[in-house]
Amino acid sequence: MSMSEILLTIKLHEQLFVDPKRIRLLKAIEETGSINQGAKLAQVSYKSAWDHLEMMDRISPKPLLERNAGGKKGGGTKLTAYAQRLLQLYKLLEDTQQTAFDILQQDDIPLDNPLFATSLFSLQSSARNQFFGAVSELKRDSLHCLVGIPLADFSQPLFACVTPQSAKRLQLTLDKEVMFMIKAPWVELHKTPVENAMNQFKGVIKEINQDEVILQLGEKGEHLECVANEIKESFSLGEEVYFTIDPSQIIVATLL
């Protein structure tokens, strides 16, 4: 568990809207269904609780509380849907801040690429091969958009193919930082070059395991994983091979 403590404050119209104390109060009201009991649970006085709620209501775009009149089951107070979303947003922002602080402790993670840094801590994917780069080529037609990024261990840019709609949604432009995700089964190995293959590169077989082959791509030690299937009989450790990746089989991700 991290020993750091990050206190998140949100302001609206240059006035305090929520902070950790007010978030605890809202959570306590949600749990108890009562401002009085919520104040006790949050360890604030009843008057202080009312003051906080009044100040929040005054600047909130939407109501935070719903009050029910007394009846057979008695009255009560519950959070509105907006207040519940506010709690969820606050938790999301807390997690994001903590992730950023954790990244700070890792000296080998560059902080000039938010996509690369956050993906190491936050993104989990079934695609075992992930490459990062700035878009160097962008070729569009009515049906396809080819997105190219240069990689240090590749002899030429690696291209992904997405629809024009996806390119627009991802706001793809030249120099935009992107991540390419490639599942291991999408990498095909070859003994000899494949004619007219767009994404064709060389690698050296580093490992052959029961269900995967690991290629070393260059002197920096970048690796690529592919599915072994039945290739163990035709390829050997240390052998230089060609591999191809269908551009349409590459998933493109970015931060908007």
Side-chain angles (χ1 to χ4, degrees):
M1 180 178 294
S2 173
M3 299 299 292
S4 63
E5 182 180 18
I6 304 174
L7 302 179
L8 174 63
T9 297
I10 300 177
K11 289 186 176 183
L12 287 179
H13 310 299
E14 299 184 353
Q15 300 180 62
L16 176 63
F17 183 37
V18 291
D19 62 3
K21 180 182 291 186
R22 291 181 176 181
I23 289 295
R24 284 197 302 271
L25 176 60
L26 289 177
K27 287 181 177 179
I29 293 172
E30 181 181 37
E31 181 176 339
T32 62
S34 163
I35 296 177
N36 186 26
Q37 294 300 316
K40 293 179 180 179
L41 183 61
Q43 298 182 339
V44 298
S45 68
Y46 184 67
K47 181 181 183 305
S48 178
W50 267 109
D51 289 342
H52 282 301
L53 293 171
E54 183 180 6
M55 285 185 283
M56 281 190 286
D57 269 329
R58 188 183 307 151
I59 61 175
S60 177
K62 297 181 180 180
L64 299 173
L65 301 177
E66 291 180 1
R67 298 179 179 86
N68 300 320
K72 292 183 179 181
K73 297 183 180 180
T77 302
K78 66 177 183 178
L79 301 189
T80 63
Y82 178 78
Q84 292 172 348
R85 284 179 56 82
L86 177 61
L87 292 181
Q88 292 173 338
L89 173 66
Y90 194 89
K91 178 63 167 60
L92 176 62
L93 293 174
E94 280 186 318
D95 292 344
T96 301
Q97 283 194 141
Q98 186 59 58
T99 296
F101 190 80
D102 291 341
I103 290 172
L104 176 64
Q105 314 310 312
Q106 304 294 323
D107 295 337
D108 58 336
I109 297 179
L111 296 180
D112 58 350
N113 187 332
L115 176 61
F116 175 72
T118 55
S119 67
L120 292 181
F121 280 82
S122 304
L123 181 65
Q124 298 296 323
S125 169
S126 62
R128 285 179 278 179
N129 301 302
Q130 299 178 0
F131 298 98
F132 299 83
V135 176
S136 61
E137 297 188 47
L138 205 56
K139 303 176 182 179
R140 306 172 188 260
D141 60 34
S142 59
L143 298 177
H144 308 93
C145 180
L146 283 176
V147 187
I149 61 172
L151 297 171
D153 290 321
F154 286 7
S155 57
Q156 57 191 12
L158 177 64
F159 281 92
C161 182
V162 299
T163 65
Q165 293 80 4
S166 293
K168 182 177 181 181
R169 179 173 54 82
L170 294 172
Q171 300 177 20
L172 295 179
T173 58
L174 291 176
D175 297 325
K176 188 178 183 71
E177 295 288 344
V178 298
M179 175 173 65
F180 283 4
M181 295 187 290
I182 307 165
K183 297 185 70 171
W186 299 344
V187 181
E188 297 186 4
L189 297 184
H190 311 276
K191 285 276 191 180
T192 57
V194 178
E195 188 176 355
N196 298 324
M198 176 171 288
N199 288 330
Q200 180 167 218
F201 309 95
K202 288 183 180 181
V204 175
I205 296 181
K206 184 76 172 180
E207 296 181 30
I208 300 179
N209 301 317
Q210 182 175 0
D211 60 349
E212 70 177 6
V213 171
I214 298 179
L215 302 180
Q216 182 170 327
L217 304 182
E219 296 180 357
K220 293 184 178 181
E222 188 78 47
H223 290 164
L224 184 76
E225 295 185 21
C226 51
V227 175
N229 292 330
E230 299 179 358
I231 71 167
K232 286 186 284 188
E233 296 182 0
S234 56
F235 293 93
S236 58
L237 288 176
E239 182 180 356
E240 185 177 70
V241 297
Y242 294 86
F243 65 91
T244 57
I245 305 169
D246 185 340
S248 64
Q249 298 289 341
I250 299 178
I251 299 172
V252 181
T254 187
L255 294 176
L256 299 179

